Amino acid sequence: SKSPSPRQNMPVRYFIMKSSNLQNIDISQQKGIWSTTPSNERKLNGAFWESSVVYLIFSVQGSGHFQGFARMGSAIGCDKSQDWGSAGFGGVFKVEWIRKESIPFQFAHHLLNPWNDNKKVQ
């Protein structure tokens, strides 16, 4: 029989990933990778190692929409990607896109974030 995953009983984590443009989202969807600022890396890597799964919900700043969501597929490494140019991003990590669709924030206004003063998730 197959032994259970060592992270099976650990929590699921969710993060909203804001992108400065839609081109970065397109690159991520095509190549299955993402890169974020170095200040976010420790939090995401910690969640990756301490959770059963980490979901990333993507949104382009100012769009008023979510562009889809993915599962974090690897820890963030030291290798950088030229796909995003030299925009101050850190290492690259794998993402597995689950849904690629533009969804208006208004469809999620019933979701409140208790760790952010119960503000709407957007």
Side-chain angles (χ1 to χ4, degrees):
S1 75
K2 188 176 176 183
S3 62
S5 165
R7 300 189 305 174
Q8 178 178 339
N9 295 320
M10 299 175 100
V12 174
R13 299 285 303 272
Y14 301 86
F15 293 89
I16 304 287
M17 305 303 292
K18 292 288 189 177
S19 176
S20 59
N21 61 63
L22 188 57
Q23 182 181 6
N24 291 348
I25 302 282
D26 291 339
I27 291 167
S28 177
Q29 291 175 344
Q30 291 168 12
K31 297 191 173 193
I33 59 173
W34 189 252
S35 186
T36 188
T37 60
S39 62
N40 290 332
E41 288 183 349
R42 177 183 284 179
K43 190 180 292 186
L44 286 173
N45 268 342
F48 182 78
W49 292 114
E50 297 168 4
S51 306
S52 59
V53 65
V54 177
Y55 290 108
L56 306 174
I57 303 158
F58 292 85
S59 176
V60 174
Q61 291 175 347
S63 71
H65 288 75
F66 296 110
Q67 278 69 39
F69 67 100
R71 180 178 22 253
M72 192 172 173
S74 72
I76 302 169
C78 296
D79 294 337
K80 297 189 180 208
S81 172
Q82 295 305 312
D83 291 310
W84 287 279
S86 58
F89 292 115
V92 173
F93 59 99
K94 293 179 184 177
V95 294
E96 302 160 12
W97 280 86
I98 298 166
R99 183 84 181 222
K100 304 171 188 176
E101 186 173 345
S102 183
I103 302 167
F105 287 161
Q106 66 191 27
F107 289 2
H109 275 178
H110 64 286
L111 300 175
L112 304 177
N113 184 346
W115 294 280
N116 191 20
D117 298 324
N118 281 322
K119 292 180 182 175
K120 295 175 186 175
V121 175
Q122 59 184 36

